[in-house]
Amino acid sequence: MRVVIKDSSADCSSWTAGYIAYRIKKAAPTAKKPFVLGLPTGSTPLGVYKELIKLYQNKKVSFEHVVTFNMDEYVGLPPEDKNSYHYFMQENFFKYVNIHPKNIHILNGMTKDYAAECENYERAIQAYGGIDLLLGGVGTDGHIAFNEPFSSLSSRTRIKTLAPSTIKDNSRFFNNDISQVPTQALTIGIGTIMDAKEVIIMALGANKAEAIRQGIEGCVNHLWPITALQQHRYGIIVCDKEAASGLSKNTVGYFKSIESPAS
Ligand code: GLP
């Protein structure tokens, strides 16, 4: 696992956006062989999206041949709902870049057939040859996408009931009213995440310190889904110093020593 610890959230965002742009350019995607990007929502990636938009505006990256798959979506929220992840992605990223609408994939939380929706999503990812690079955040309880604690580490795309801690954390987007937060979501599985060729999990702020400590220093276990990343061949954690504050001095020293200042 690679661990990139930066002094500020802004540094994390620009490092991550730069890395995504570098990967897209290096792949030199075409219409026939597009670059497949897995994307998250939440407050963590907002800075990354802003930086990617800047890179696009400065002609440093193009999304012409990029196909995206979002990680998750709430059950029961239509795309025009301000709290839906469809809305989030349009407003914070897609509408500012040259991505083709046909290349955007987000689970439909309004479907009548959850199983078919989830199976089709897995099939669509496979039809593109899998996800090249997946960016994710992490919940305070260690969840990735909406794979809550005790999710199977080999789970696939499916419907999940949200943990009370996630409902509480996410209620800040719903007028701090937990009764307004959907109780279920469609989410790619941990197995789906692990199948991506490369995975970046980003964490900002002291409230993620325990999840990051578990993810880097803890044992692989389903109580902390983020720990699955330890078994990924190309897993990267990007965090600011507050999110890294639960790590031992030795761990921080080790990872800082092997990251060159230019990386
Ligand atoms: C939600 C999302 C996750 C995200 C997590 C953390 O539950 N489903 O994908 O990683 O929240 O969100 P935030 O970045 O706002 O802390």
Side-chain angles (χ1 to χ4, degrees):
M1 178 189 280
R2 182 175 177 189
V3 178
V4 178
I5 302 168
K6 296 284 179 192
D7 283 342
S8 68
S9 59
D11 289 347
C12 291
S13 299
S14 57
W15 187 92
T16 304
Y19 191 83
I20 293 169
Y22 158 74
R23 278 294 186 219
I24 294 172
K25 277 193 292 183
K26 192 161 180 248
T30 60
K32 275 199 176 147
K33 205 178 173 326
F35 188 87
V36 185
L37 190 58
L39 291 175
T41 57
S43 43
T44 306
L46 282 171
V48 178
Y49 291 138
K50 285 203 178 96
E51 289 294 324
L52 282 174
I53 293 164
K54 270 195 230 159
L55 289 171
Y56 163 69
Q57 287 168 343
N58 295 330
K59 304 199 182 341
K60 304 274 188 218
V61 68
S62 167
F63 296 91
E64 170 85 24
H65 299 307
V66 172
V67 165
T68 62
F69 284 90
N70 262 80
M71 304 176 101
D72 45 19
E73 177 58 288
Y74 287 115
V75 164
L77 294 191
E80 59 279 9
D81 188 300
K82 288 199 163 69
N83 280 311
S84 76
Y85 289 170
H86 279 77
Y87 188 90
F88 175 102
M89 290 307 298
Q90 277 306 326
E91 292 304 309
N92 292 299
F93 186 47
F94 293 145
K95 77 178 190 187
Y96 299 104
V97 296
N98 63 335
I99 190 159
H100 294 287
K102 69 173 171 53
N103 286 345
I104 295 171
H105 301 83
I106 306 181
L107 284 153
N108 174 13
M110 297 299 286
T111 181
K112 290 204 166 68
D113 189 341
Y114 301 122
E117 173 70 15
C118 295
E119 269 168 42
N120 289 339
Y121 208 67
E122 287 275 341
R123 251 185 248 126
I125 293 172
Q126 277 161 24
Y128 281 107
I131 294 173
D132 292 304
L133 173 60
L134 183 139
L135 173 65
V138 60
T140 55
D141 59 2
H143 75 251
I144 45 178
F146 266 130
N147 295 285
E148 297 287 19
F150 305 114
S151 290
S152 158
L153 298 186
S154 53
S155 49
R156 310 303 308 187
T157 305
R158 68 210 183 292
I159 186 166
K160 277 295 288 179
T161 297
L162 304 186
S165 57
T166 300
I167 292 177
K168 188 167 169 284
D169 283 352
N170 291 2
S171 66
R172 68 188 193 279
F173 300 111
F174 294 82
N175 309 315
N176 289 314
D177 177 0
I178 55 170
S179 71
Q180 288 180 29
V181 185
T183 56
Q184 291 181 306
L186 302 184
T187 180
I188 61 170
I190 298 176
T192 323
I193 294 171
M194 294 295 285
D195 282 353
K197 288 163 203 151
E198 191 170 17
V199 178
I200 300 178
I201 297 292
M202 191 171 159
L204 304 175
N207 63 337
K208 303 292 171 69
E210 181 59 8
I212 287 303
R213 188 179 77 79
Q214 293 286 346
I216 296 171
E217 294 177 345
C219 302
V220 174
N221 76 99
H222 62 175
L223 178 54
W224 291 93
I226 186 177
T227 61
L229 195 67
Q230 293 175 19
Q231 297 198 317
H232 197 286
R233 289 178 65 200
Y234 299 103
I236 307 178
I237 287 184
V238 181
C239 58
D240 61 10
K241 56 180 195 279
E242 288 79 14
S245 62
L247 297 171
S248 75
K249 265 191 178 167
N250 282 351
T251 304
V252 173
Y254 171 73
F255 285 114
K256 284 209 159 173
S257 73
I258 59 170
E259 285 296 324
S260 77
S263 67

